[in-house]
């Protein structure tokens, strides 16, 4: 056979190729095949690239063709418009227009445009001041109407004095704008009279409208506000109709006036007025959006005086000291009543005091109930989470050992890092954090109420009334205001809290009872954590300390069942084994087991892992006791069923045994042929011994705080009867099980 090395460059005939050794021929064949595949791949790549380039070129040609057609069309229209005859006609028409109109026509067009816009100002202002407008937008409409009236006033000034036909129209528009201005001021007055604590934005809008319409500064606006409120107070004193006496309504309005002035003056009011002159009037977007004015067409005829007009409003002429002095002046009447009211004959000041107390207490009770009722939002959040439950996502728990923890900011005390560690340690994922944070926000509202009630109890109401009233009146007043009213509020708060927590408890119980599905274990864990977190921040009321406790036993039962269900099923299959694994490791004389079966060890280890996966925060002593009780019951139930089957088989074998207690070969062969499994008595006793050791170990592992003679103890006694051990051997086996648990108990931390 010829020698040498073949290479892909050799040219061989089929007959010459086989003159070389077979391995060289195969190597040459593989080399040729690889080379052909590479060339085919490169060729396909080149062809594919060329094809894509060809398609791209074709698309570019089509796009260029469309662009060329569009350009040609536009150039054609431009060419037609630039024709000699067309341009000549335009030039001639423009010349005629200039010759005929001139400057006079421009003036006429400008006056007509301003007159048209002036008429629309009246129409639009009338629409904005309609009485049936929504209350929530009334103040905004007043501000916009005031700006329209200012524009109308400017236009009226620009077209005035023209004489001729427009003289009558100008006078008519002057009367109309004056009437609209009076309507605007009446609207401002109504809002100022009726606005409450929650309507301060409307009040501020009404004051801005007054400032624009009258060009008043901040000081004048405040005076006008106080004047309107003073007139409203006078009317309230004179009006005694209705459930609330007029005096009480007047005092309520007086108190609200003090609060409004403190809230608006000087910063909010001055800032709002400064914003009105931040830009010219016609640059205001609200004005330009009014289509009826047609500013896009008419403003070219207005002139610079109108185009660049900016409202001149003093916003910096009001200081806090002026507001304080004004309030003190308004407060004099109230002080006079406190000092001298009790001296007036025929007038009982307690009537006014009782009415005022009633109004204030009703308001406090309303505020209290509103805040307490918000606890239902926690149940709503929980219900929403259960409605959108997704297994493995909603109940996903983040470990504190994940790499994402390393990316967190740890400067300035590592606050976020510590919060995240606490959250993950207590199993607070997003689904649990949302309702818990909502509950914490609600608790802050309730704590504010509790603090307020405590302040009322400590408040003394006679510090500024020395020698004005006698001691009996002062003591009675202090009793009412510092004891009776706070106690009434406290009782109402306790009752409201008790009802709110009761409703929350019942809502959670109904959700737990109605929820069914494969995720019942995960849902029970979720609700258990919600109840636990809420209970950590319960108010100190004794009636609330039992919140959620009635649901905990059921939740612990479901937690125990979901944690151990699969492990019990797996462990039950080991009861059917006929031989002992690890029989050679038995010790002593007679030989007895000194360690559990692999299945028992897997059971204990699996329980530890399952408990850790569910969350270490769930396993309180009570929860572990429930788990151990559940395991003792379920394991014994399964184990007894297996022992019963084995006893029946053993009894059937005994009935078929020979007289000397042994099964003959013919009988054993006959039983095997009939499908009856023959159990070796020696192996069966070894299995029972190992089972007895496992039961004794489980008794130590699942030991309950209050030891009782339960089913697991009875199972151990039954196994002892079946193996028929001597007293010494029985004690040695029991001690071996206890010693094993002492040595290995720490491996199963939560169980130990």
């Amino acid at each position: 056979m010829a020698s040498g090395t073949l290479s892909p460059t050799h040219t061989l005939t089929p007959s010459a190729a086989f003159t070389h050794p077979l391995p060289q021929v195969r190597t040459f064949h593989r080399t040729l095949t690889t080379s052909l595949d590479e060339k085919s791949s490169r060729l396909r790549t080149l062809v594919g690239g060329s094809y894509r380039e060809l398609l791209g070129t074709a698309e570019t040609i089509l796009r260029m063709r469309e662009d060329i057609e569009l350009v040609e069309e536009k150039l054609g229209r431009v060419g037609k418009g630039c024709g000699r005859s067309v341009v000549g006609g335009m030039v001639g028409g423009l010349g005629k227009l200039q010759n005929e109109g001139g400057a006079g026509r421009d003036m006429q067009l400008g006056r007509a445009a301003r007159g048209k816009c002036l008429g629309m100002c009246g129409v639009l202002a009338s629409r904005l001041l309609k009485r049936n407008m929504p209350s929530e937008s009334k103040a905004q409409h007043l501000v916009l109407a005031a700006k329209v009236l200012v524009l109308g006033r400017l236009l009226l000034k620009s077209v005035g004095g023209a004489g001729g036909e427009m003289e009558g129209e100008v006078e008519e528009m002057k009367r109309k704008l004056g009437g609209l201005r009076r309507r605007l001021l009446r609207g401002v007055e109504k809002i100022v009279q009726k606005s409450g604590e929650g309507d301060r934005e409307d009040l501020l809008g009404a004051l801005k409208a007054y400032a624009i319409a009258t060009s008043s500064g901040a000081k004048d606006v405040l005076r006008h506000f106080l004047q309107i409120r003073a007139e409203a107070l006078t009317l309230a004193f004179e009006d005694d109709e209705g459930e609330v006496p007029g005096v009480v309504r007047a005092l309520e309005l007086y108190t609200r006036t003090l609060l409004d002035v403190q809230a608006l003056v000087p910063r909010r009011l001055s800032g709002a007025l400064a914003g009105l002159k931040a830009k010219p009037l016609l640059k205001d977007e609200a004005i330009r959006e009014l289509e009826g004015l047609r500013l896009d067409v008419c403003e070219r005829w207005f002139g610079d005086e109108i185009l660049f007009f900016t409202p001149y409003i003093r916003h910096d002429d009001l200081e806090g000291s002026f507001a304080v002095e004004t309030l003190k002046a308004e407060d004099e009447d109230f002080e006079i009543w406190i000092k001298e009211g009790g001296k007036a004959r025929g007038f009982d000041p307690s009537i006014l005091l009782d009415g005022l107390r009633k109004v204030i207490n009703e308001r406090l009770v309303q505020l209290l109930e509103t805040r307490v009722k918000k606890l239902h939002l926690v149940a709503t959040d929980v219900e929403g989470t259960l409605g959108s439950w997704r297994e493995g996502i909603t109940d996903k728990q983040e470990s504190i050992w994940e790499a994402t923890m390393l990316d967190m900011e740890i400067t300035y005390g590592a606050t976020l890092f510590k919060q995240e560690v606490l959250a993950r340690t207590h199993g607070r994922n997003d689904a649990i954090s949302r309702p818990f944070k909502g509950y914490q926000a609600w608790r802050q509202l309730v704590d504010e109420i509790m603090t307020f009630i405590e302040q009322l109890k400590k408040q003394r109401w006679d510090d500024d009334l020395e020698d004005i009233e006698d001691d009996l009146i002062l003591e009675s007043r202090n009793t009412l205001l510092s004891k009776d009213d706070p106690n009434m509020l406290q009782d109402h708060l306790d009752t409201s809290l008790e009802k709110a927590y009761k409703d929350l408890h019942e809502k959670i119980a109904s959700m737990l009872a109605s929820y069914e599905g494969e995720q019942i274990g995960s849902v029970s864990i979720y609700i258990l954590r919600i109840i636990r977190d809420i209970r950590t921040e319960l108010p100190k009321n004794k009636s609330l300390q039992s919140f959620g406790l009635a649901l905990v036993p059921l939740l612990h039962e479901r937690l125990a069942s979901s944690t151990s269900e699969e492990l019990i099923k797996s462990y039950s299959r080991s009861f059917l084994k006929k031989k002992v694994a690890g029989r050679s490791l038995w010790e002593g004389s007679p030989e007895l087991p000194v360690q559990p079966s692999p299945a028992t060890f897997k059971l204990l280890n699996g329980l530890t892992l399952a408990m850790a996966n569910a969350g270490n925060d769930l396993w309180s002593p009570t929860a572990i006791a429930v788990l151990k009780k559940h395991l003792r019951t379920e394991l014994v139930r399964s184990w007894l069923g297996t022992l019963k089957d084995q006893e029946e088989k053993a009894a059937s074998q005994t009935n078929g045994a020979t007289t000397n207690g042994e099964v003959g070969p013919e009988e054993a062969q006959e039983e095997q042929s009939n499908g009856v499994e023959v159990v070796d008595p020696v192996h069966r006793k070894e299995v029972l011994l190992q089972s007895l050791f496992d039961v004794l170990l489980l008794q130590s592992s699942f030991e309950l705080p209050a030891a009782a003679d339960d089913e697991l103890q009875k199972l151990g006694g039954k196994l002892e009867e079946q193996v028929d051990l001597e007293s010494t051997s029985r004690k040695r086996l029991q001690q071996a099980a206890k010693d094993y648990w002492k040595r290995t108990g720490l491996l199963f931390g939560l169980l130990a």
Side-chain angles (χ1 to χ4, degrees), residues 367-380 438-439 441-442 445-446 500:
L367 177 62
L368 183 150
E369 290 180 347
T370 301
R371 290 192 175 188
V372 171
K373 286 180 180 179
K374 290 183 179 180
L375 183 60
H376 78 279
L377 297 177
V378 177
T380 302
Y439 175 76
W442 175 84
L445 298 178
V446 175

Side-chain angles (χ1 to χ4, degrees), residues 581-626:
R583 170 63 181 83
S584 59
L585 300 177
W586 289 15
E587 298 178 357
S589 179
E591 293 184 345
L592 296 176
V594 292
Q595 60 182 13
S597 63
T600 302
F601 185 86
K602 289 180 180 179
L603 172 66
L604 296 176
N605 185 53
L607 279 173
T608 303
L609 296 177
M611 294 167 71
N613 291 333
N616 295 336
D617 59 295
L618 299 171
W619 300 105
S620 62
T622 304
I624 294 177
V626 172

